């Protein structure tokens, strides 16, 4: 069943309580008939006895016909509760009118209108709060107005006991309703948190896959082109290109396997999280990036001036930013020289990758994922990433990550 259809079924299933599938189909019959039976046992026998034996209701001021009408109301009211599942608000209104009529027409010392308490509690739980409070208010007003207009005497004990029962039912129903709403809100919040965590994990996986695969494929593409070009004239250089392709593809496969190991469910955990089988790349791998550029015929330099050792998260982010920058150089820049500078200035790690190529990638589709991934990596650690054109031609990437936030 589609999720939307299933949600609709849970909220509006015939006989169910909104927001709780436990009270939908398959609900035990006693939950429907229980209030009816209890109300009948409390209201009908006493009312019928007083109706049949007028002497027991001496001083009540009620005729035989009015007492018989009161007994009928005492039966109809409880059975009206059977409609509470589908029409909770209307049921409260009907039961309130019947209860008021029973008190007006019946003997003074009749039983309390317990059906009204069941109807009021059911109406609030099922979401008909306005109907419930409005019906109770109008019912009591009609009762008092009818007694004054007709000159009928009312039992303070009967009205007081009924009022107490109704108030208790309303309080219990409001408490149950409030608890259910808090539980529903908690479930929604947990669902939103799980959805947010899943989205963040998908973005992280997308960044890792893009950085690993894009860099390796860029190297393989350049080396394959070089090998094809030199195959006939310089077979040794072509052989070297094939060797570089083998190394690049093996490195890429190792990183992809490492990423997949992290994603698998592993019973061995560290701090409650799956333990990766391979450590992620760090700044120690920067020289290999420089070597990959030199293998492509690009003059590359690496300068490192750090006074402290960055944390694992900072090292991974800085390496991936440098890796993506090198990938963009190989794919788009047609550069002859690239410099990678890593330093620590004013409590922040700063990575600068500059080339003397043709500038920024040609279009947003080409530069979107790579620059977006680099920016996300820096911002997740509280840093920034800026790109700019190099005077005289070229492209520059500046990433800054606070040392304290990245530790």
């Amino acid at each position: 069943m589609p999720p939307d259809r299933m949600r609709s079924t849970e909220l509006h299933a015939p006989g169910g309580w909104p927001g709780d599938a436990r009270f939908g189909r398959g609900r035990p019959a006693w939950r429907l008939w229980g209030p009816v039976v209890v109300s009948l046992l409390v209201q009908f026998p006493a009312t019928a006895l007083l109706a049949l034996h007028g002497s027991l209701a001496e001083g009540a001021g009620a005729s035989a016909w009015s007492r018989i009408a009161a007994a009928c109301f005492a039966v109809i009211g409880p059975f009206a509760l059977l409609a509470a599942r589908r029409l909770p608000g209307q049921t409260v209104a009907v039961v309130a009118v019947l209860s008021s009529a029973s008190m007006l027409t019946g003997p003074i010392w009749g039983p309390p209108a317990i059906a009204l308490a069941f109807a009021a509690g059911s109406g609030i739980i099922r979401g008909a709060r306005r109907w419930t409070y409005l019906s109770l208010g109008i019912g009591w007003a009609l009762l008092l107005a009818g007694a004054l207009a007709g000159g009928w005497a009312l039992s303070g004990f009967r009205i007081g006991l009924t009022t107490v029962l109704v108030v208790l039912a309303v309080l219990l129903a409001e408490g149950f309703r409030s608890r259910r709403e808090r539980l529903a809100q908690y479930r929604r919040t947990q669902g939103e948190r799980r959805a947010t965590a899943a989205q963040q994990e998908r973005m992280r996986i997308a960044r890792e896959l893009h950085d690993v695969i894009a860099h390796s494929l860029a190297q393989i593409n350049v080396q394959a082109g070089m090998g094809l070009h030199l195959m006939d004239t310089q077979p040794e250089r072509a052989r070297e290109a094939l060797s570089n392709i083998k190394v690049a593809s093996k490195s890429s496969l190792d990183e992809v396997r490492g990423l997949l190991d992290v994603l698998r469910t592993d019973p061995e955990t560290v701090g409650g999280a799956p333990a990766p089988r391979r450590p992620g790349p760090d700044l120690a791998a920067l020289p290999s990036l420089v070597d990959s550029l030199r293998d492509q015929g690009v003059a590359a330099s690496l300068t490192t001036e750090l006074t402290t050792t960055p944390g694992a998260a900072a090292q991974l982010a800085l390496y991936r930013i440098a890796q993506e920058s090198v990938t963009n150089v190989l794919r788009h820049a047609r550069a002859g020289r690239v410099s990678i500078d890593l330093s620590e200035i004013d409590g922040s790690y700063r990575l600068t990758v500059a080339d003397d190529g043709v500038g920024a990638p040609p279009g947003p589709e080409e530069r979107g994922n790579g620059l977006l991934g680099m920016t996300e990596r820096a911002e997740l650690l509280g840093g920034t990433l800026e790109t700019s054109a190099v005077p005289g031609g070229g492209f520059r990437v500046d990433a800054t990550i606070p040392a304290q936030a990245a530790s």
Side-chain angles (χ1 to χ4, degrees):
M1 179 182 294
D4 293 342
R5 182 69 178 275
M6 179 174 63
R7 187 179 300 113
S8 176
T9 302
E10 291 178 357
L11 293 177
H12 306 289
W17 291 4
D20 197 337
R22 293 176 300 171
F23 299 97
R25 295 179 179 178
R27 182 181 177 184
W30 65 266
R31 293 186 179 179
L32 176 63
W33 285 94
V36 177
V37 173
V38 172
S39 300
L40 280 174
L41 291 177
V42 172
Q43 294 181 193
F44 179 69
T47 305
L49 181 63
L50 293 172
L52 294 175
H53 302 279
S55 60
L56 297 176
E58 184 177 356
S63 66
W65 286 108
S66 67
R67 292 196 299 271
I68 293 174
C72 293
F73 294 147
V75 174
I76 299 174
F79 276 103
L81 295 175
L82 294 175
R85 286 187 177 184
R86 294 184 178 274
L87 302 171
Q90 292 87 331
T91 300
V92 180
V94 170
V95 174
V97 172
L98 293 172
S99 299
S100 299
S102 178
M103 292 182 187
L104 285 173
T105 58
I108 294 177
W109 302 105
I114 192 172
L116 183 59
F118 281 119
S122 176
I124 290 175
I125 290 175
R126 290 183 167 93
R129 299 177 73 239
R130 291 184 179 180
W131 271 93
T132 300
Y133 289 119
L134 187 62
S135 299
L136 292 176
I138 294 177
W140 270 173
L142 290 176
L143 175 63
L144 297 177
L148 292 175
W152 290 319
L154 295 175
S155 170
F157 175 79
R158 185 181 186 186
I159 294 178
L161 183 57
T162 300
T163 302
V164 170
L165 292 175
V166 170
V167 170
L168 288 176
V170 167
L171 292 177
L172 290 174
E174 288 286 3
F176 181 84
R177 177 178 173 274
S178 176
R179 178 179 176 274
R180 188 182 61 190
E181 288 182 348
R182 289 196 300 270
L183 180 60
Q185 179 61 36
Y186 172 78
R187 289 173 177 172
R188 286 194 297 269
T189 302
Q190 290 298 103
E192 292 172 357
R193 288 178 178 175
R194 286 192 293 269
T196 300
Q199 178 63 21
Q200 291 176 346
E201 184 66 9
R202 284 194 295 268
M203 293 174 63
R204 185 186 71 83
I205 294 170
R207 284 194 300 268
E208 291 293 331
L209 288 175
H210 176 273
D211 292 346
V212 171
I213 296 176
H215 177 71
S216 299
L217 290 180
Q219 284 185 288
I220 292 171
N221 181 64
V222 172
Q223 291 288 343
M226 182 183 299
L228 289 174
H229 180 70
L230 301 175
M231 182 178 296
D232 296 328
T233 59
Q234 301 182 43
E236 292 300 324
R237 293 285 302 278
R239 182 186 298 275
E240 181 181 348
L242 290 175
S243 298
N244 292 334
I245 289 175
K246 179 179 179 181
V247 172
S249 60
K250 182 179 183 303
S251 175
S252 177
L253 286 174
D254 288 341
E255 290 200 54
V256 170
R257 289 193 184 102
L259 179 60
L260 293 177
D261 286 341
V262 175
L263 298 178
R264 290 194 186 99
T265 301
D266 196 324
E268 299 178 12
T269 59
V270 178
R277 301 178 184 178
R278 295 179 177 85
D282 53 22
L283 296 179
L286 284 179
S288 64
L289 282 180
V290 175
D291 292 338
S292 68
L293 284 169
R294 290 169 180 166
D295 291 337
Q296 320 303 321
V298 179
S301 62
L302 172 64
T303 302
T304 303
E305 297 178 355
L306 298 178
T307 57
T308 61
T309 301
Q315 292 199 42
L316 176 61
L318 291 170
Y319 173 79
R320 290 302 192 196
I321 292 172
Q323 184 185 48
E324 178 60 25
S325 300
V326 169
T327 300
N328 288 336
V329 169
L330 293 175
R331 295 178 62 190
H332 309 295
R334 299 196 295 273
R337 180 177 297 276
V338 176
S339 62
I340 301 176
D341 299 311
L342 180 62
S343 59
E344 186 174 352
I345 303 175
D346 298 330
S348 296
Y349 301 115
R350 181 173 182 180
L351 173 69
T352 300
V353 181
D355 64 73
D356 61 353
V358 297
E365 293 183 357
E366 292 294 331
R367 59 186 299 191
N369 289 331
L371 292 181
L372 177 62
M374 290 192 291
T375 303
E376 289 175 347
R377 287 186 183 279
E379 292 179 348
L380 284 174
L381 296 177
T384 59
L385 186 134
E386 298 177 355
T387 59
S388 59
V390 176
F395 193 67
R396 179 188 183 102
V397 175
D398 286 300
T400 301
I401 297 177
Q404 184 176 2
S407 59

